[in-house]
Amino acid sequence: MTLLAVTSFEEMQCLGSLKDGTFWTSGSNEDPKCDEEKKYAWCSTGFNISDSLISSDKFWLPPTVAPPTLERCLAVVLSSTPQKGMVHKKCDEALPFICQHPVDCPKDCFKNMNFLDNYRQCCALGMETLNLDTAAEQLGLTNMSLGFKNDWKANFNYWTSGTWRGSPEGHFSWCEPFGPAIFPPNLTWQRGQPDNMGGNESCVHFRFVLNSTGTILTDRSCDNKFIFACKGNWTTATRQCCNIGMNLASIESAGKLGCFSKIVEKFGTESYGDFWLSGTDLGCPSDFWWCSLNRGFVNSELEWKAGHPKSGCVYLESRNGSVLLASADCTEKKKYLCEARKKATVQKGTQGECAEIWNITTKEIDLLMNAASFVSPTTTISLDLKVCTKTNLLVN
C-alpha cells in the first residue's frame, strides 16, 4: 500500500467518515524538485498536487496562512464537522497515518477495473473520467467509430463517471471534478435502458456498437469490470505532460510532421485520433506560438487542415494514414502528445532528434557538424543524408 494522497474534494469529503484526528498524507514540497518548482506533490504517486486544489480554501483547514519555512509536509485534519482540510507540519513530527491501495498506471489501454477504480485511475493521471457534456459529443464519438468500423481495434466497453447515486430522483449525474452535473438531454441509451436490473445497477457504462446506432449508454453494477476511460482539455494536457517531466509536443517543422506521418503509416488505426499540441494563439505575441518551445510558427513549413487555423489551440489530426495540423476550442476533450529529449546533453539530444526525423545515423549528423570531415573525398555519404542536406537541415 501507499501513503494517502487526497486528489479531489470528493476524497476529502469521503475521509470525513473516518475517525477524527490529524493524519499524515504523502503531500509535500520537501523534495528538491518540488522546492525548485515551488510546487507541492504527492510523493506516493509522483504527480504534482493540482492547482485547483492548492488555490482553494476548501482544500486547506481554515485559517489559510503561509506555512512556516520548516513545515514542508502535509497532514489532513479529519472531523465529522465541516472543519476538515490539509495543514502544514514539520516532517519529523509523530502523527498517525492512512494508507491506501495504489492506483498504478496501466501497462496497456485494456486494463479492466470497476467503477470506483476507474475514477481513481483518471484522478491519478490528472484527468477526469469519461463523461458526455452534450449529445453532440456522443454523436462525435459515434461518427468516429463508424468512420473506422472496418479497421476497429479498440475495445467496446468503457466506464463513465455517470451514476444515479446522489442525483435528484429519476436523474443520472456525471461525477465532475468540482461536483455532480445532471445528464444533458437527448443522450442515446440502449433500448430498454436504464432499467436498474435487480436494484443493483447504479453506474453508467459506455459502449461502441459499430452500427448505425454507433454508441450507447447502459446502467450496470458498479462492481462490473470494464476498460477505464478518461478525458482532458488542452490545459489538462499541458499540466499532465509537465507533471511527468515532459512537454506538450510541438511540431515546428515539416521534418517533424513527416516523422509523425511515418508513425501513422506504420501503426495505422492504432495511432488515429486528435492529439493536443503546445500551439495556441491565446495570450501569445504572434498569431500562433509553440508554448513548449517559446517559438513562433513558420507557417510555410506546416500543412494545415483545410479551413484552419482558427483561433484556439492546435492539435494533430491523424486520419487514414496521414497527419494534418488543425485548431479547436481549448476546452474540447482530446488525447495529447508529450515529448522530451533523450537523456543526454542538449547538443546530443538535438542530434538524436534530427537523426530520427531525417532517417540518418547519429554519425552522419556528426558529419554535418564537422565541415572538414564532411567534404573529405573519403567520406561515404548515404542517399538519406544527401537528401537531408538539400532540404537545408540545420543542426544547432
Side-chain angles (χ1 to χ4, degrees), residues 257-258 260-262 264 303 316-319 321-325:
L257 190 62
F260 279 98
S261 295
K262 293 178 182 178
V264 171
E303 189 172 357
L316 183 72
E317 181 184 87
S318 174
R319 299 280 193 282
S322 65
V323 292
L324 294 170
L325 296 183

Side-chain angles (χ1 to χ4, degrees), residues 153 262-273 318 320-321:
K153 295 181 180 179
K262 293 178 182 178
I263 293 173
V264 171
E265 289 174 3
K266 181 176 181 180
F267 294 101
T269 55
E270 296 176 12
S271 60
Y272 288 179
S318 174
N320 302 319

Side-chain angles (χ1 to χ4, degrees), residues 195-389:
D195 60 0
N196 195 21
M197 182 180 294
N200 189 39
E201 294 186 337
S202 59
C203 295
V204 180
H205 140 269
F206 178 88
R207 177 173 170 79
F208 289 103
V209 291
L210 302 186
N211 59 24
S212 58
T213 304
T215 60
I216 55 174
L217 299 173
T218 70
D219 58 345
R220 289 285 186 268
S221 167
C222 303
D223 293 328
N224 285 1
K225 291 191 175 182
F226 299 121
I227 306 303
F228 83 96
C230 314
K231 69 177 186 178
N233 58 26
W234 186 83
T235 303
T236 301
T238 302
R239 184 185 305 119
Q240 182 60 26
C241 290
C242 182
N243 283 347
I244 59 176
M246 304 178 77
N247 291 321
L248 195 58
S250 303
I251 300 183
E252 69 278 9
S253 68
K256 201 166 182 180
L257 190 62
C259 177
F260 279 98
S261 295
K262 293 178 182 178
I263 293 173
V264 171
E265 289 174 3
K266 181 176 181 180
F267 294 101
T269 55
E270 296 176 12
S271 60
Y272 288 179
D274 294 341
F275 302 87
W276 282 127
L277 303 173
S278 79
T280 182
D281 68 342
L282 303 180
C284 295
S286 68
D287 289 339
F288 276 90
W289 200 259
W290 294 115
C291 292
S292 295
L293 298 174
N294 195 27
R295 181 187 306 172
F297 276 44
V298 181
N299 287 313
S300 60
E301 288 196 11
L302 303 176
E303 189 172 357
W304 288 91
K305 180 181 179 180
H308 291 254
K310 303 174 183 178
S311 183
C313 294
V314 180
Y315 67 92
L316 183 72
E317 181 184 87
S318 174
R319 299 280 193 282
N320 302 319
S322 65
V323 292
L324 294 170
L325 296 183
S327 54
D329 188 313
C330 302
T331 62
E332 289 186 13
K333 315 298 183 183
K334 300 183 185 296
K335 303 174 185 177
Y336 56 89
L337 291 174
C338 301
E339 66 178 348
R341 294 195 184 281
K342 294 181 178 179
K343 292 182 179 179
T345 65
V346 173
Q347 176 177 319
K348 289 297 183 182
T350 304
Q351 288 177 250
E353 289 175 2
C354 288
E356 291 179 0
I357 291 172
W358 294 97
N359 195 31
I360 59 179
T361 67
T362 53
K363 288 185 177 180
E364 289 177 322
I365 286 287
D366 288 336
L367 284 177
L368 289 175
M369 303 185 72
N370 187 334
S373 297
F374 187 72
V375 299
S376 170
T378 60
T379 300
T380 301
I381 302 175
S382 71
L383 178 61
D384 285 336
L385 182 59
K386 291 177 181 177
V387 173
C388 174
T389 57

Side-chain angles (χ1 to χ4, degrees), residues 112 130 132 137-146 152 154-161 174 187-191 193 203-220 225-227 229:
N112 288 288
L130 174 65
L132 303 173
E137 187 173 342
Q138 184 175 10
L139 179 60
L141 291 170
T142 292
N143 291 338
M144 180 191 72
S145 66
L146 295 179
W152 189 261
N155 204 277
F156 300 94
N157 300 283
Y158 298 86
W159 273 125
T160 73
S161 71
W174 302 119
L187 295 181
T188 302
W189 290 79
Q190 182 176 324
R191 182 178 298 178
Q193 297 287 316
C203 295
V204 180
H205 140 269
F206 178 88
R207 177 173 170 79
F208 289 103
V209 291
L210 302 186
N211 59 24
S212 58
T213 304
T215 60
I216 55 174
L217 299 173
T218 70
D219 58 345
R220 289 285 186 268
K225 291 191 175 182
F226 299 121
I227 306 303

Side-chain angles (χ1 to χ4, degrees), residues 41-63:
W42 299 117
C43 298
S44 59
T45 66
F47 290 98
N48 287 342
I49 301 177
S50 71
D51 293 337
S52 60
L53 290 179
I54 292 295
S55 61
S56 173
D57 290 339
K58 292 195 299 182
F59 185 68
W60 301 100
L61 183 71

Side-chain angles (χ1 to χ4, degrees), residues 112-180:
N112 288 288
M113 55 187 65
N114 63 30
F115 177 85
L116 185 56
D117 285 341
N118 172 78
Y119 190 89
R120 289 170 175 161
Q121 179 70 66
C122 293
C123 285
L125 293 172
M127 304 178 75
E128 58 181 285
T129 308
L130 174 65
N131 56 59
L132 303 173
D133 296 319
T134 63
E137 187 173 342
Q138 184 175 10
L139 179 60
L141 291 170
T142 292
N143 291 338
M144 180 191 72
S145 66
L146 295 179
F148 303 116
K149 66 178 181 180
N150 294 329
D151 298 304
W152 189 261
K153 295 181 180 179
N155 204 277
F156 300 94
N157 300 283
Y158 298 86
W159 273 125
T160 73
S161 71
T163 178
W164 55 252
R165 293 186 181 277
S167 301
E169 186 174 355
H171 290 274
F172 282 82
S173 295
W174 302 119
C175 296
E176 301 274 18
F178 302 106

